[in-house]
Amino acid sequence: MKNIADILDEDAVYYLDYQCKTIDKSRLYQPGPDTVDRIWAESDRNIRTLGNLQRLLSHGRLAGTGYVSILPVDQGVEHSAGASFAPNPAYFDPENIVRLAIEGGCNAVASTFGVLGAVARRYAHKIPFIVKLNHNELLTYPNTYDQVMFGNVREAWNMGAAAVGATIYFGSEQSRRQLVEIARAFDEAHGLGMATILWCYLRNEGFKKEGVDYHASADLTGQADHLGVTIKADIVKQKLPSNNGGFRAVGFGKTSDKVYTELTSDHPIDLCRYQVANGYMGRVGLINSGGESHGESDLKEAVTTAVINKRAGGMGLISGRKAFQRPMKEGIELLHAIQDVYLDPSITIA
């Protein structure tokens, strides 16, 4: 394992020694080796879905811990293939995407119908597949920022997927249509025995006020997570909170002063814990996204995000561009560094 404190450098004490004084950790359903038995066995998920949840938790370097490290590569659609793969053209080839996930010790690989379908017979039994059902393709001009279905649940089941993933742009004009589409898709996926993962993202220019962007505010993202678990996402993916007070700044919806005075603080771990709480106090695991690649700072950024997620009570990290936009050997090392955070018993829930 890499020395996590050395990677965090001058920020080590701020993140590693912090003790949460908002929502106490005793209230949380914390990840562990018995996650499926302790949290999901008495739910209405069928036996095959429980089996696939267990499969996700039993693969890779984090097997048996209750935590997950997932490699997501849908950026070829979401950001354009050129923007995503020009830094390392090897990843235009779907096989290299799956190889990175396997050699990087990930629990699963999440990607498009095309990417995973191209290599399904060779790899679907070697690493759990998460098939992304919908995307925002940016070739339409002007851009509409809408998530549309690229395939169906049965197609994902036929290629041996352990889970399906989807995105809802909460706050967008199309969000209610997306909500209905994905609720139906998740119901079908559960019926076929697959787990469900929801990217609970926000999209609305109105969420920017006086030069401050609240798309990653703890209160708005927390509510997006809460809507996601309501349509039976088994895991929710969310951006790490960067601020708070979105409801107040935008001046809409309903909230409570206690959200800002008692349930959160300015510390990143407390802001992330509010996201965890909105996932039924951690019953539905929170995975935070790794974000875009910034070059030399990627390792520290990824490890910092992992520490915040773990200490907040989250379930893991889903990091793509920081890993695949560099040589495979370096990508593997970065994924291992993230996983080392979850393997380190000295890094505990705050």
Side-chain angles (χ1 to χ4, degrees):
M1 292 184 184
K2 294 182 181 292
N3 189 310
I4 306 302
D6 288 344
I7 294 173
L8 294 177
D9 198 21
E10 71 276 5
D11 296 322
V13 172
Y14 181 69
Y15 291 113
L16 296 177
D17 291 354
Y18 181 74
Q19 293 303 313
C20 181
K21 296 180 179 64
T22 55
I23 299 171
D24 192 80
K25 62 185 178 182
S26 64
R27 296 185 176 187
L28 303 179
Y29 292 85
Q30 301 178 19
D34 59 345
T35 290
V36 173
D37 289 334
R38 177 168 43 89
I39 298 175
W40 289 114
E42 295 183 359
S43 73
D44 64 352
R45 272 54 166 181
N46 64 32
I47 294 172
R48 290 189 181 277
T49 299
L50 295 179
N52 273 317
L53 282 167
Q54 188 64 56
R55 184 182 172 206
L56 286 172
L57 292 170
S58 300
H59 193 87
R61 293 182 74 225
L62 298 184
T65 64
Y67 294 104
V68 296
S69 166
I70 297 172
L71 177 73
V73 187
D74 60 356
Q75 289 88 349
V77 177
E78 298 282 344
H79 302 282
S80 91
S84 302
F85 303 133
N88 190 350
Y91 291 104
F92 276 107
D93 183 349
E95 184 166 7
N96 286 326
I97 292 172
V98 180
R99 281 185 54 222
L100 175 62
I102 292 174
E103 296 179 28
C106 293
N107 296 71
V109 57
S111 196
T112 65
F113 280 99
V115 165
L116 297 177
V119 294
R121 290 188 183 276
R122 184 168 186 178
Y123 289 108
H125 59 292
K126 296 180 180 179
I127 185 171
F129 278 10
I130 301 167
V131 180
K132 190 79 177 347
L133 298 174
N134 64 354
H135 301 284
N136 176 35
E137 56 81 20
L138 291 178
L139 197 58
T140 300
Y141 185 81
N143 297 152
T144 58
Y145 301 100
D146 186 15
Q147 289 280 332
V148 296
M149 300 294 281
F150 267 54
N152 58 62
V153 173
R154 177 72 60 168
E155 195 177 348
W157 181 79
N158 281 335
M159 74 167 72
V164 296
T167 298
I168 294 177
Y169 280 160
F170 292 105
S172 71
E173 291 183 9
Q174 300 83 12
S175 62
R176 290 191 174 182
R177 190 210 76 242
Q178 295 166 17
L179 190 64
V180 172
E181 282 180 352
I182 302 309
R184 289 172 176 168
F186 279 7
D187 179 65
E188 183 179 1
H190 279 147
L192 291 170
M194 291 182 287
T196 57
I197 303 175
L198 188 64
W199 280 236
C200 295
Y201 287 167
L202 301 173
R203 286 291 187 280
N204 191 310
E205 285 301 310
F207 293 162
K208 298 177 182 178
K209 289 292 182 181
E210 299 179 357
V212 180
D213 190 344
Y214 291 98
H215 278 91
S217 69
D219 54 349
L220 294 182
T221 56
Q223 180 60 21
D225 292 349
H226 198 72
L227 293 173
V229 300
T230 300
I231 63 168
K232 291 189 173 180
D234 300 318
I235 298 171
V236 294
K237 176 190 177 187
Q238 186 56 266
K239 295 180 179 180
L240 198 69
S242 57
N243 55 29
N244 204 0
F247 275 117
R248 286 175 164 176
V250 178
F252 85 115
K254 293 183 178 181
T255 186
S256 167
D257 288 343
K258 289 185 177 182
V259 170
Y260 312 104
T261 60
E262 296 180 21
L263 302 184
T264 62
S265 75
D266 291 334
H267 199 285
I269 292 174
D270 287 338
L271 296 177
C272 187
R273 177 154 299 179
Y274 186 69
Q275 291 181 335
V276 173
N278 274 277
Y280 298 151
M281 281 297 187
R283 284 178 181 265
V284 176
L286 170 73
I287 54 176
N288 288 116
S289 53
E292 63 183 297
S293 175
H294 294 113
E296 292 184 2
S297 63
D298 282 356
L299 177 61
K300 182 177 180 179
E301 289 174 4
V303 168
T304 299
T305 303
V307 169
I308 292 170
N309 173 272
K310 182 180 182 182
R311 301 210 68 220
M315 187 184 190
L317 215 60
I318 179 164
S319 184
R321 283 170 288 176
K322 282 181 168 61
F324 71 74
Q325 288 185 336
R326 60 184 67 239
M328 185 172 289
K329 182 176 182 294
E330 294 180 16
I332 291 169
E333 291 173 351
L334 187 137
L335 291 170
H336 284 181
I338 290 170
Q339 294 154 12
D340 287 347
V341 171
Y342 295 96
L343 292 170
D344 190 336
S346 70
I347 301 175
T348 58
I349 295 181

